[in-house]
Amino acid sequence: NLVLLSASTGRVIKTIPVPENAYLQKPQWAEDGSKICMITLTGQGEGILAFRLADWSWEKLIKESSVDYQSAVIRRDSLFYVSSVSGTENIYVLPPDKKVRMITNSYFGATDPLPEDNRIIFTDYSSSGNNICFTEINNDGNTLSPESLKTAFTIDRIKPPVSVDEPAPSNTYLPVRYKKWQHLLGFHSWIPFYADI
């Protein structure tokens, strides 16, 4: 259930059953207070859902799949969300035309989006720690397709070792019982007069 509480008294205002009995995560109010946006988890995976307070109705913004979502927020008429679909956490926008656009292209990960006017403030993780950054929201940016993201996965960044065709050593080793008396001067092996130092 989505439960609305009074901020001043803590009283339950309304309890709304969630479609498909989805598990809700990280709810966020829209900028104008007309919607609540949240990540859902079902047997099909994670998705993004919005609840409209005007008519008490649900709207599925992104269908559940195996893609991981970290956060989602609605500003004006667009959905901004963080996903690791590219292999690294980055920020995406879903405008009214329903064509997903990638806003950041961080090597280590971009999180915590805060849309503000025509720019977005976010946290960019680097090898030296987190940096607070901003970038312009480009509505003319390239739309994403699964083909454009294939080479962005971390596993694709790792180069396999070059195969060297050298023959394996052909030595044969036989187990031999260790005998202390044959190694009287091998102090690394044993001490004839053992003492607990």
Side-chain angles (χ1 to χ4, degrees), residues 142-195:
N142 294 331
T143 57
L144 296 176
S145 65
E147 294 78 23
S148 66
L149 298 173
K150 281 184 181 174
T151 58
F153 285 96
T154 306
I155 192 68
D156 294 329
R157 297 179 189 166
I158 300 171
K159 303 292 183 206
V162 178
S163 176
V164 180
D165 294 333
E166 291 183 8
S170 59
N171 297 345
T172 303
Y173 299 98
L174 298 174
V176 177
R177 184 177 172 93
Y178 180 79
K179 297 177 183 173
K180 288 184 180 181
W181 64 269
Q182 291 179 345
H183 301 277
L184 288 176
L185 299 177
F187 296 105
H188 65 280
S189 302
W190 73 289
I191 299 176
F193 303 102
Y194 174 77

Side-chain angles (χ1 to χ4, degrees), residues 10-173:
R11 181 181 58 84
V12 175
I13 298 171
K14 183 89 171 171
T15 300
I16 307 110
V18 182
E20 303 173 37
N21 199 28
Y23 179 78
L24 301 180
Q25 305 173 80
K26 302 179 182 177
Q28 291 279 337
W29 286 94
E31 186 178 34
D32 60 2
S34 64
K35 293 181 182 179
I36 304 171
C37 178
M38 60 216 84
I39 298 168
T40 59
L41 177 63
T42 66
Q44 288 76 42
E46 287 186 341
I48 300 177
L49 194 63
F51 179 74
R52 288 194 298 262
L53 278 81
D55 57 0
W56 301 90
S57 64
W58 294 95
E59 178 185 5
K60 189 167 285 196
L61 303 175
I62 297 179
K63 187 179 177 182
E64 286 82 6
S65 69
S66 60
V67 174
D68 181 44
Y69 299 102
Q70 297 300 320
S71 62
V73 63
I74 295 174
R75 289 294 183 267
R76 297 184 187 158
D77 56 358
S78 297
L79 170 69
F80 295 86
Y81 63 92
V82 176
S83 172
S84 57
V85 68
S86 67
T88 308
E89 290 176 340
N90 274 295
I91 302 170
Y92 300 84
V93 63
L94 178 66
D97 64 6
K98 303 296 182 190
K99 294 180 180 176
V100 176
R101 292 179 181 85
M102 186 180 214
I103 296 178
T104 62
N105 190 12
S106 175
Y107 190 81
F108 292 106
T111 58
D112 307 315
L114 177 62
E116 182 184 83
D117 298 323
N118 290 327
R119 69 179 184 168
I120 190 162
I121 302 167
F122 61 95
T123 302
D124 181 47
Y125 184 71
S126 69
S127 58
S128 59
N130 284 318
N131 299 306
I132 298 175
C133 304
F134 74 90
T135 187
E136 299 296 319
I137 300 171
N138 183 4
N139 293 328
D140 301 325
N142 294 331
T143 57
L144 296 176
S145 65
E147 294 78 23
S148 66
L149 298 173
K150 281 184 181 174
T151 58
F153 285 96
T154 306
I155 192 68
D156 294 329
R157 297 179 189 166
I158 300 171
K159 303 292 183 206
V162 178
S163 176
V164 180
D165 294 333
E166 291 183 8
S170 59
N171 297 345
T172 303
Y173 299 98

